[in-house]
Amino acid sequence: MMSTLNKIPVVLVGVTNGLGYSIAKALIVNPKLSVTLFTRSSEANPILEPFIKGGATIKNVDYTSVDSLSSALQGIHTVISTIFPVDLTPTRNLLKAAVAAGVKRFAPSEFAFNEEANAEFDIFKNKKEFWEEVRASGLEYAAFRTGVFLDFFATGAPVKYEEAPLNIISLILDIGAEEKEIPGTGDEKVTFTSAHDIGEFVSAAVLLEKWPEELGMAGETTTLNQVVHDAEEILGRKFELTYVTPQELRKRADEKGATGDWFGRFICQVRAALVEGKGDIKPYLNEVTDVKPTGVKEFLKKYWGTQA
Ligand SMILES: NC(=O)c1ccc[n+]([C@@H]2O[C@H](COP(=O)([O-])OP(=O)(O)OC[C@H]3O[C@@H](n4cnc5c(N)ncnc54)[C@H](OP(=O)(O)O)[C@@H]3O)[C@@H](O)[C@H]2O)c1
């Protein structure tokens, strides 16, 4: 058995939501890692039970205090954050504490599209701002880029989605709907990766000697026309398709913004950005790790295959 001394001490920040949960699952079974989970929950939260059983150390941290975060980070090599930076304070304090504690490397909560997309989406504005702070921190750092979560294709499926406590929504395409609106021509490349595989890629990436700035991964990079084709085959029926231009999507985004529907605006912005290739992720981690991710068709079969 490998001694704790030889293991890489890693902190995962944020556990109770789906992504952090899936990453935690992958980290705790990696024998080369010693895992600490930062959470606002207490150890009594049943969601944490498998991680405690799996040997993770749970730290209920105070994100308002750089000093206490810094003492919780003593001796840590790698910090991976999943906190969506709606408010930058907890994330910023974490970075300051990581620097103060002498942490070697830091991954902010990216897990989406390319840098250009962060500049474009209103609700990713803080991701962009924080990315510059991470770059200036002096730490080794990287952005995990994933494209769209493949898990969203399980929305409304006959097989219940139980991979993680993730809030799944039909962000891009409602697989079960008879009528589907496709952004662009449907032939633009889009990357999809499942939360499970993101966990596997992140766990493997922690073992890499050196991190480049971009740690892209792909369950599969495909097109929406191909996804629809696969869904038609698996569900055994044809769908009615209409195509919408990015210009129209941007117009809708503005209309949604004018009525204060910020999430509706975000969805329109994402759909327009995908047409422009901002969700086509270079799969660096597929090339340098042994992870064998789930592709779109395999995923659709798992959740929708019982209807074939
Ligand atoms: N590519 C895609 O399709 C896609 C889809 C969804 C999300 N994402 C990305 O995945 C990442 C995680 O998203 P999410 O929606 O799960 O984020 P989130 O709601 O912020 O949750 C992430 C974790 O952060 C902790 N947390 C939440 N609010 C916090 C706060 N105010 N202070 C400190 N900790 C807090 C929670 O852990 P504890 O309760 O354990 O403290 C939670 O498990 C984001 O970067 C997001 O953009 C990508």
Side-chain angles (χ1 to χ4, degrees):
M1 215 171 101
M2 190 179 276
S3 95
T4 323
L5 283 176
N6 297 326
K7 295 187 179 192
I8 299 173
V10 55
V11 160
L12 175 74
V13 182
V15 195
T16 59
N17 251 2
L19 181 66
Y21 187 87
S22 287
I23 297 175
K25 278 207 287 192
L27 294 178
I28 59 162
V29 296
N30 185 332
K32 294 182 177 158
L33 305 180
S34 151
V35 181
T36 300
L37 305 175
F38 278 11
T39 181
R40 296 160 304 162
S41 282
S42 80
E43 286 199 23
N45 185 340
I47 211 170
L48 300 174
E49 203 182 305
F51 306 124
I52 295 168
K53 278 194 182 141
T57 302
I58 308 294
K59 286 197 177 165
N60 172 249
V61 290
D62 173 7
Y63 292 99
T64 64
S65 163
V66 176
D67 285 347
S68 77
L69 285 169
S70 170
S71 63
L73 285 170
Q74 290 303 315
I76 295 298
H77 178 276
T78 298
V79 174
I80 297 153
S81 174
T82 68
I83 305 175
F84 190 100
V86 180
D87 165 14
L88 268 174
T89 311
T91 300
R92 241 180 211 145
N93 286 346
L94 188 69
L95 179 63
K96 283 184 197 155
V99 172
V103 161
K104 182 170 187 306
R105 58 192 182 188
F106 188 98
S109 187
E110 285 288 338
F111 305 105
F113 313 120
N114 69 17
E115 204 180 335
E116 230 183 297
N118 287 357
E120 186 179 323
F121 307 157
D122 316 76
I123 69 169
F124 279 13
K125 190 172 86 354
N126 282 350
K127 285 195 180 195
K128 176 179 155 50
E129 196 175 328
F130 188 60
W131 181 236
E132 296 309 328
E133 294 172 24
V134 172
R135 270 187 170 141
S137 68
L139 301 183
E140 188 177 318
Y141 64 94
F144 286 104
R145 303 207 193 273
T146 62
V148 181
F149 287 3
L150 185 47
D151 309 61
F152 291 161
F153 287 155
T155 308
V159 173
K160 193 164 179 257
Y161 177 82
E162 289 178 324
E163 161 62 28
L166 187 72
N167 182 23
I168 53 170
I169 50 160
S170 302
L171 185 68
I172 309 300
L173 206 59
D174 182 346
I175 295 295
E178 290 311 315
E179 295 171 16
K180 301 189 200 304
E181 189 183 79
I182 310 282
T185 65
D187 285 328
E188 297 83 5
K189 294 282 186 196
V190 183
T191 299
F192 296 93
T193 313
S194 70
H196 172 272
D197 291 337
I198 294 172
E200 296 292 320
F201 278 119
V202 169
S203 177
V206 178
L207 305 183
L208 297 177
E209 202 62 45
K210 184 98 186 96
W211 275 1
E213 201 174 71
E214 295 286 314
L215 286 175
M217 64 187 81
E220 184 178 351
T221 298
T222 181
T223 67
L224 290 177
N225 283 337
Q226 183 62 48
V227 174
V228 170
H229 180 269
D230 291 343
E232 285 180 335
E233 199 182 300
I234 292 163
L235 276 77
R237 53 183 206 263
K238 285 271 173 202
F239 300 116
E240 201 174 303
L241 307 179
T242 51
Y243 291 84
V244 58
T245 64
Q247 293 77 12
E248 169 60 21
L249 287 164
R250 289 240 154 67
K251 191 167 140 259
R252 287 185 202 168
D254 288 343
E255 286 162 6
K256 302 254 182 215
T259 63
D261 176 3
W262 297 109
F263 193 64
R265 177 170 164 78
F266 173 64
I267 290 180
C268 293
Q269 289 179 321
V270 168
R271 289 160 57 95
L274 294 184
V275 178
E276 291 155 357
K278 292 168 188 153
D280 177 1
I281 306 300
K282 284 197 191 74
Y284 176 80
L285 287 173
N286 297 59
E287 288 154 20
V288 301
T289 71
D290 294 331
V291 177
K292 301 274 173 282
T294 303
V296 176
K297 194 167 183 183
E298 190 187 340
F299 185 91
L300 292 178
K301 268 193 189 147
K302 175 175 173 186
Y303 287 96
W304 294 91
T306 53
Q307 287 195 354

